[in-house]
Amino acid sequence: LGWWMGDPVQLKDEGNKYFQAGDIDKAIECYSEAIKVSKDKKVLAVLHRNRSACYLKKENYACAASDASKAIDVDAADIKALYRRCQALEKLGKLDMAFKDVQRCATLEPKNKTFLETLRRLGAEIQAKLKTTFSTDSRVQNMFDILFNEDMDKEKKEKAANNLIVLSREDAGAERIFQNNGVALLLNMIETGKPEMILAAVRTLSGMCTGHKARAMAIVHMVGVDKMCSIMAIDNEEIAMATCNLFQCINDSLTGEDTMEYGKEEALVLDASKDLKTILLSLLEMVANNKVSGHGRDQALNLLTKNVPRKDLKEKDNSRTLFTVDHGLKKILKVCGQVPELPDQLSLTENTQLIASVLLNKLYDDLKCDPERNNFRDICDEYVKSKIDPNNMDKNLHAINTISGLLQGPFEVGNALVGTQGIMEMMVALCGSEREVDQMVAVEALIHASTKMSRATFIITNGVSLLKDLYKKTKNEKIKIRALVGLCKLGSAGGDDYSLRQFAEGSTEKLAKQCRKWLCNPQIDTKTRKWAIEGLAYLTNDADVKDDFVEDELALKAMFELAKSKDKTILYAVACTLVNCTNSYDKKEILPELVQLAKFSKQHVPEQHPKDKKDFVEKRVKRLLKAGVTSALAVMVKADSSILTDQTKEMLARVFLALSESPKDRGTIVAQGGGKALIPLAMEGTDAGKVKASHALAKIAAISNPEIAFPGERVYEVVRPLVSLLHTDREGLQNYEALRGLTNLAAYSEKLRMKLVKEKALPEIENYMFEEHEQIRQAATECMCNLVTCKEVQERYLEDSNDKLKLLVLLCGEDDESLQIAAAGALAMLTAAQKKLCTKLTRVTAQWLEILQRLCLHTNPQIQHRGLVIIYNMLNSDDSDLAKKLIESELLEILSVIGKAEDNPKRQEAIDAARTCLVRAMDLGLIKPFTSPS
């Protein structure tokens, strides 16, 4: 920009040259320089007008509009600037302003076709927009009219309800419903008392409260928290869940996980802390209220579990938990203490008490210091003691059941209570009672107390004899089965060697057989059959028991049916049993030195059971798949997050991984919905669980049609878990299978390839192309071969100063044929898409020509064909020096030999490619036309 730096006119001309040549950035630089130095109003107007054209090309519409305005300020009739501003405003969505600009253009030049066409188009768009705005309002009215019309047919009503819900999910629609007196009308729908009307109204309110703090607060005040609680309290699972979702949407919007931007004034008005406190108190009020249904109670507890404890222990503030402990702990304990068999109890579902235990555990874990924990313990202590009454058996049961609830939650709190004065004696007394319910409550408490062996010594001394007596004496199956589980649990609590053979009733197999019999007996109530699975969860530590169990198809099917039932308290036991049967637990290494040492000191040597060897495990997997394990797992994964703990999720992931070991079985897993069931397991849970689930996903993704294995949008969710397995600290097998899975996904659609790029998979895949390990290197290269159609990937190969292209060329020269096919395939596609790469290819390594010649002479027709396509791309790359160089080398002879060969179906692709190369060389005038063989 030398000597005429200071001359705006020169700079303008320079800018125009760049603009003509298509170098927009340089043009903007020149015009901007000129604007800085120009004093002349008219020149400035032209400069702004020109720069506006540049910004339009760069799709920077705001700057384009403002530059055009500056030109129009100087000359109101500047027709070019007016039309540019019109184009920019239209892109910015300001249709009415754009319309005014083009109106002025058309007045100045009434014959200009472009202006008239734009005028007509914008006019029509504005009409359409007005129409939809008005019609949304009338549509909203119309939907409510249909819903309140008694004579309307059911189908029309359902459609209107659905439309309302869909409308509420987009911001503009939600605002329309709100402005059209919608909240009052939705409350009227709720007042009808018809379940489908209530559901539609609650779901619409959820949509309206999502992501908009001001609207959510207004709705809370118009509907009222009490009203929402009373809806959630209805005895209808769907309504309870929908209302729970409404509360969650409100909570998310009020706690500021909210996308809307507000001004300072609004932020002051929108202080939500008071509303959040009201909601928390109302939910705690629901927990022990006897007017609330079991479903409503479950959802109130779920909301507390999800929103009270800190999401991340790095946060300092646990005041919500402290508030909940002070105002609600006794209410939660009351739920744990309910004994459904007695009169006047709160209504519960099968899951309520476990959800309450999980909540207690989360609250206790969220406490930060000893004084806080002591306060928690004191409240529990005081509550249990207040229930103990020598003259009232039912109150005592409530106390013992409360301890059971604590043992399933914050174990140490429950464990301390079991050890306090008088509790054990009461359990002994209850075991000896005549009433079935007394015995049941006591036995279950004993079972829960014997969880952690080290702390259960006094349970063992007292409990074993109690349980044995009960087991032998009782005629009642319900008690017998529970006593048995207690014995199993105490037996396995000491590890495998502290074997059950200490207890009466002979061998483990006999006990397991008894459990299987109970499991298959439909005459026994579900709760009791559930305990049979608890027993098997312990007994299947023994390999003989595993083998007998999987041979018993009726027992397997009975377990899977129970796993699919509404009662989700069973998930953990089913998961344990399946982990044992598939041997997917972490194996303990047995060191040979230690075995010698143990033999020498005459100690017991832990040995692997012959039925735990690989072929037995494989047979068991086949049996489980045949009995329908996958569909049971798919249902289990959908359970409520509070019951499906991270621990259980990890166990399910382990089972899935064991099931998908053999490629032959993966089809069965996909057919029964296993593919999509794995996604949530790979997304959240323990680290080990997520890795195992991702590994199983990789195995499935590698060999199935992604559209069938992961239907719909699900397939995009599979990418992240697979990419996470490419991490260098994952095992080689996991890297390899993740690459195989990604290769299959990348072959599938451009959208999936883009998702891979977005999840930052490229650098990882490139690293593995450098890998020593042959199979991993091949898998990575095949994956890259499927990705090179992506613009982003081509950009990476075009960048300077990297070895990516060099590596691909060198991989073409390796001896491994499948590696060559992948590398040459990638190179063929890259050179076809980006002509610059043809020239670059010759600069990255001196061996390029030799490697390409070897490809073209290869005996494998697939490799040969790919080599010849690369040569064709190079001849076609507009680099005449390169084309000349190729034809002057031995390649001409190679091409002639292949091209002149007889047609041959096995090699036809290569022969055709060679002929195309020769024709191209003739077109370039590099060789004389030759007469083709007659």
Side-chain angles (χ1 to χ4, degrees):
L1 299 173
W3 52 270
W4 37 258
M5 261 318 285
D7 181 355
V9 180
Q10 289 274 21
L11 278 166
K12 183 193 76 171
D13 295 344
E14 197 66 14
N16 293 354
K17 274 185 209 150
Y18 282 125
F19 185 80
Q20 294 322 190
D23 191 341
I24 308 297
D25 292 329
K26 275 277 178 21
I28 291 178
E29 255 177 61
C30 292
Y31 296 141
S32 304
E33 259 320 303
I35 288 168
K36 277 188 207 158
V37 291
S38 175
K39 303 278 183 289
D40 181 336
K41 253 181 160 175
K42 286 210 166 116
V43 176
L44 269 173
V46 175
L47 288 166
H48 279 297
R49 185 175 76 197
N50 289 2
R51 193 169 69 174
S52 167
C54 295
Y55 284 135
L56 274 177
K57 279 238 188 305
K58 297 288 284 183
E59 300 184 13
N60 180 346
Y61 300 118
C63 291
S66 105
D67 262 351
S69 299
K70 285 179 185 149
I72 296 162
D73 290 343
V74 176
D75 172 9
D78 183 337
I79 201 157
K80 277 187 182 172
L82 279 167
Y83 191 62
R84 275 172 202 162
R85 187 168 72 179
C86 156
Q87 288 172 292
L89 289 167
E90 181 192 348
K91 291 286 195 214
L92 292 167
K94 300 179 176 168
L95 297 185
D96 34 358
M97 287 160 75
F99 186 74
K100 281 188 188 135
D101 278 347
V102 75
Q103 249 178 336
R104 275 160 79 186
C105 293
T107 325
L108 291 165
E109 279 188 25
K111 291 202 168 114
N112 183 318
K113 285 220 175 80
T114 311
F115 297 159
L116 295 173
E117 171 54 32
T118 310
L119 195 64
R120 193 194 56 70
R121 185 171 55 79
L122 285 176
E125 277 181 34
I126 289 170
Q127 282 317 108
K129 202 168 176 188
L130 285 171
K131 217 168 168 177
T132 55
T133 314
F134 287 122
S135 73
T136 314
D137 289 353
S138 56
R139 249 171 65 210
V140 171
Q141 266 337 104
N142 193 4
M143 287 178 215
F144 281 119
D145 291 344
I146 293 174
L147 288 166
F148 287 118
N149 181 345
E150 290 300 321
D151 312 325
M152 241 342 140
D153 66 11
K154 197 165 165 240
E155 232 172 67
K156 271 203 176 139
K157 279 192 163 180
E158 275 174 17
K159 194 157 188 221
N162 259 333
N163 288 342
L164 200 57
I165 297 166
V166 170
L167 190 63
S168 75
R169 285 184 184 154
E170 43 172 308
D171 195 60
E175 198 49 42
R176 289 267 163 262
I177 300 175
F178 190 77
Q179 299 300 347
N180 281 285
N181 190 26
V183 179
L185 291 166
L186 290 166
L187 279 169
N188 292 346
M189 283 170 68
I190 290 167
E191 290 314 312
T192 62
K194 294 178 184 156
E196 63 280 4
M197 293 282 265
I198 299 175
L199 262 178
V202 170
R203 286 176 178 157
T204 304
L205 286 169
S206 297
M208 293 167 72
C209 289
T210 301
H212 194 303
K213 190 171 184 179
R215 198 187 304 129
M217 280 180 79
I219 288 173
V220 169
H221 292 231
M222 291 160 88
V223 176
V225 176
D226 288 348
K227 179 76 204 162
M228 291 194 278
C229 288
S230 71
I231 302 168
M232 194 157 80
I234 297 173
D235 189 13
N236 174 317
E237 188 175 7
E238 264 198 292
I239 292 176
M241 284 170 80
T243 319
C244 170
N245 184 42
L246 169 60
F247 270 119
Q248 193 58 51
C249 295
I250 290 171
N251 179 71
D252 293 347
S253 294
L254 296 194
T255 47
E257 283 153 30
D258 172 1
T259 49
M260 307 295 287
E261 291 288 321
Y262 299 108
K264 288 243 169 69
E265 311 73 46
E266 288 190 62
L268 294 175
V269 183
L270 294 176
D271 176 26
S273 52
K274 216 162 125 195
D275 290 330
L276 287 164
K277 196 167 219 173
T278 310
I279 291 175
L280 180 52
L281 275 167
S282 308
L283 291 174
L284 287 171
E285 189 40 53
M286 284 184 77
V287 167
N289 184 328
N290 56 5
K291 296 193 176 62
V292 173
S293 72
H295 294 302
R297 204 177 317 283
D298 283 359
Q299 298 308 338
L301 290 163
N302 276 335
L303 282 163
L304 293 167
T305 306
K306 199 165 169 196
N307 301 303
V308 172
R310 291 167 290 175
K311 301 257 186 304
D312 182 358
L313 293 179
K314 290 193 193 82
E315 283 174 44
K316 292 275 180 288
D317 178 26
N318 67 345
S319 56
R320 287 192 306 266
T321 293
L322 299 177
F323 182 85
T324 304
V325 169
D326 289 339
H327 293 82
L329 181 51
K330 286 186 175 152
K331 298 185 165 104
I332 304 166
L333 291 171
K334 181 175 176 180
V335 173
C336 290
Q338 300 297 300
V339 181
E341 290 76 7
L342 297 178
D344 306 326
Q345 302 292 301
L346 298 174
S347 48
L348 309 170
T349 70
E350 303 90 335
N351 303 319
T352 314
Q353 288 178 300
L354 185 61
I355 296 175
S357 288
V358 171
L359 171 57
L360 288 173
N361 200 28
K362 291 229 159 149
L363 293 172
Y364 189 70
D365 283 347
D366 198 43
L367 301 176
K368 290 200 292 202
C369 54
D370 287 343
E372 291 178 3
R373 284 185 276 272
N374 291 337
N375 175 48
F376 186 102
R377 285 196 197 105
D378 292 343
I379 296 175
C380 295
D381 205 43
E382 193 187 313
Y383 181 83
V384 168
K385 294 218 166 88
S386 73
K387 296 293 175 220
I388 291 175
D389 180 348
N391 306 318
N392 181 339
M393 215 35 166
D394 289 2
K395 273 179 86 177
N396 290 337
L397 285 184
H398 186 88
I400 298 295
N401 228 18
T402 307
I403 295 178
S404 270
L406 283 162
L407 287 164
Q408 292 171 82
F411 183 84
E412 53 182 272
V413 180
N415 201 38
L417 278 168
V418 175
T420 49
Q421 188 68 44
I423 298 287
M424 203 64 212
E425 289 81 342
M426 192 194 302
M427 288 192 189
V428 176
L430 288 169
C431 282
S433 157
E434 292 302 304
R435 278 203 311 180
E436 174 189 283
V437 64
D438 296 342
Q439 293 184 336
M440 255 168 50
V441 168
V443 175
E444 288 188 15
L446 276 172
I447 293 173
H448 293 308
S450 57
T451 304
K452 308 249 165 107
M453 190 55 196
S454 54
R455 305 177 182 168
T457 41
F458 65 89
I459 293 278
I460 286 191
T461 41
N462 303 289
V464 169
S465 48
L466 269 177
L467 292 169
K468 267 192 201 167
D469 286 353
L470 269 175
Y471 185 71
K472 284 186 176 147
K473 287 180 191 152
T474 182
K475 296 278 175 286
N476 182 332
E477 295 271 311
K478 287 185 181 181
I479 304 296
K480 210 177 183 63
I481 195 168
R482 285 167 172 78
L484 172 76
V485 174
L487 290 170
C488 295
K489 201 164 172 183
L490 286 168
S492 73
D496 311 335
D497 297 330
Y498 183 82
S499 142
L500 277 170
R501 304 187 201 300
Q502 295 193 18
F503 303 126
E505 194 58 37
S507 71
T508 348
E509 281 114 293
K510 258 196 196 154
L511 293 176
K513 193 171 177 190
Q514 185 56 58
C515 282
R516 297 205 312 270
K517 226 162 79 191
W518 280 321
L519 182 56
C520 295
N521 181 352
Q523 260 67 59
I524 300 178
D525 64 305
T526 314
K527 262 192 167 169
T528 304
R529 286 165 64 205
K530 190 181 90 195
W531 282 102
I533 299 182
E534 294 272 353
L536 286 165
Y538 295 104
L539 293 166
T540 47
N541 279 315
D542 179 306
D544 289 309
V545 173
K546 302 178 199 188
D547 245 42
D548 294 345
F549 183 38
V550 297
E551 293 296 323
D552 185 344
E553 192 161 341
L554 287 174
L556 283 183
K557 288 201 157 137
M559 177 169 87
F560 296 154
E561 280 317 303
L562 279 176
K564 292 181 191 174
S565 69
K566 287 253 193 256
D567 183 345
K568 298 298 176 202
T569 54
I570 195 172
L571 294 186
Y572 187 74
V574 174
C576 279
T577 308
L578 289 172
V579 164
N580 285 340
C581 288
T582 54
N583 285 38
S584 50
Y585 39 77
D586 281 330
K587 313 284 184 289
K588 289 192 190 68
E589 295 270 326
I590 298 176
L591 299 172
E593 307 81 278
L594 289 183
V595 175
Q596 289 316 112
L597 195 66
K599 280 187 180 153
F600 181 69
S601 57
K602 301 211 171 25
Q603 282 179 341
H604 174 74
V605 184
E607 287 174 41
Q608 191 190 29
H609 192 293
K611 289 190 179 170
D612 276 331
K613 295 209 162 72
K614 202 168 173 223
D615 41 342
F616 277 96
V617 179
E618 284 169 8
K619 271 193 200 124
R620 289 202 286 270
V621 164
K622 294 260 187 289
R623 292 265 171 190
L624 287 167
L625 283 166
K626 186 171 168 261
V629 64
T630 312
S631 53
L633 289 168
V635 174
M636 289 163 75
V637 170
K638 290 198 189 91
D640 242 350
S641 61
S642 45
I643 286 191
L644 189 67
T645 56
D646 284 353
Q647 184 109 41
T648 311
K649 278 194 207 146
E650 180 184 321
M651 288 161 62
L652 297 178
R654 285 171 181 276
V655 173
F656 263 124
L657 183 56
L659 294 173
S660 55
E661 197 46 54
S662 154
K664 290 194 199 72
D665 297 330
R666 293 175 203 165
T668 316
I669 296 173
V670 168
Q672 297 181 356
K676 53 178 186 287
L678 270 163
I679 297 173
L681 295 178
M683 293 301 205
E684 46 198 60
T686 63
D687 287 342
K690 288 192 288 199
V691 171
K692 298 215 181 281
S694 303
H695 193 176
L697 270 177
K699 284 175 183 287
I700 287 172
I703 62 154
S704 17
N705 173 346
E707 206 167 34
I708 294 169
F710 314 107
E713 293 293 304
R714 290 270 166 60
V715 67
Y716 300 106
E717 295 171 29
V718 179
V719 176
R720 181 172 299 167
L722 296 199
V723 174
S724 73
L725 292 180
L726 296 179
H727 227 287
T728 39
D729 49 10
R730 296 274 162 265
E731 297 162 14
L733 185 63
Q734 293 167 343
N735 303 152
Y736 172 69
E737 295 197 313
L739 286 166
R740 297 273 319 273
L742 290 168
T743 302
N744 198 10
L745 294 179
Y748 195 67
S749 75
E750 183 61 23
K751 204 169 159 192
L752 263 172
R753 290 190 280 276
M754 290 306 298
K755 176 78 175 155
L756 257 91
V757 173
K758 207 172 126 204
E759 291 293 345
K760 306 201 173 41
L762 287 177
E764 305 273 12
I765 296 168
E766 285 159 2
N767 282 341
Y768 286 115
M769 289 170 67
F770 283 99
E771 175 72 46
E772 289 296 301
H773 191 290
E774 277 182 18
Q775 281 168 297
I776 292 183
R777 186 172 55 177
Q778 181 195 324
T781 310
E782 285 175 356
C783 192
M784 184 56 76
C785 178
N786 284 347
L787 285 168
V788 292
T789 52
C790 238
K791 277 276 180 290
E792 265 77 359
V793 181
Q794 294 166 14
E795 299 290 326
R796 289 174 81 89
Y797 278 95
L798 283 164
E799 283 167 13
D800 285 338
S801 75
N802 63 37
D803 295 338
K804 299 186 180 68
L805 193 63
K806 178 176 181 176
L807 178 67
L808 261 188
V809 178
L810 293 176
L811 290 174
C812 289
E814 290 281 333
D815 289 339
D816 178 345
E817 293 197 3
S818 24
L819 182 60
Q820 282 179 293
I821 289 177
L827 211 46
M829 286 190 277
L830 280 169
T831 47
Q834 299 286 348
K835 293 186 173 178
K836 285 184 191 162
L837 286 175
C838 293
T839 316
K840 186 175 173 182
L841 181 159
T842 62
R843 299 201 197 112
V844 290
T845 163
Q847 302 160 298
W848 68 273
L849 189 57
E850 180 195 337
I851 289 175
L852 290 181
Q853 289 176 351
R854 277 173 52 200
L855 289 179
C856 295
L857 288 167
H858 208 289
T859 50
N860 180 327
Q862 284 181 288
I863 297 175
Q864 185 178 33
H865 175 228
R866 285 163 173 71
L868 291 161
V869 172
I870 298 169
I871 300 298
Y872 174 74
N873 295 337
M874 292 170 87
L875 289 171
N876 206 16
S877 70
D878 310 337
D879 177 344
S880 49
D881 292 344
L882 172 57
K884 211 163 140 200
K885 196 177 206 170
L886 287 173
I887 294 302
E888 284 168 2
S889 73
E890 282 140 50
L891 268 168
L892 178 58
E893 197 181 330
I894 297 173
L895 291 173
S896 307
V897 170
I898 302 170
K900 285 180 181 165
E902 297 287 316
D903 282 358
N904 169 357
K906 286 196 180 123
R907 293 195 164 270
Q908 200 54 45
E909 282 187 316
I911 295 171
D912 291 344
R915 290 175 184 169
T916 323
C917 287
L918 291 166
V919 171
R920 180 72 195 147
M922 283 188 264
D923 294 346
L924 291 169
L926 295 171
I927 52 176
K928 302 226 166 9
F930 55 85
T931 47
S932 51
S934 48

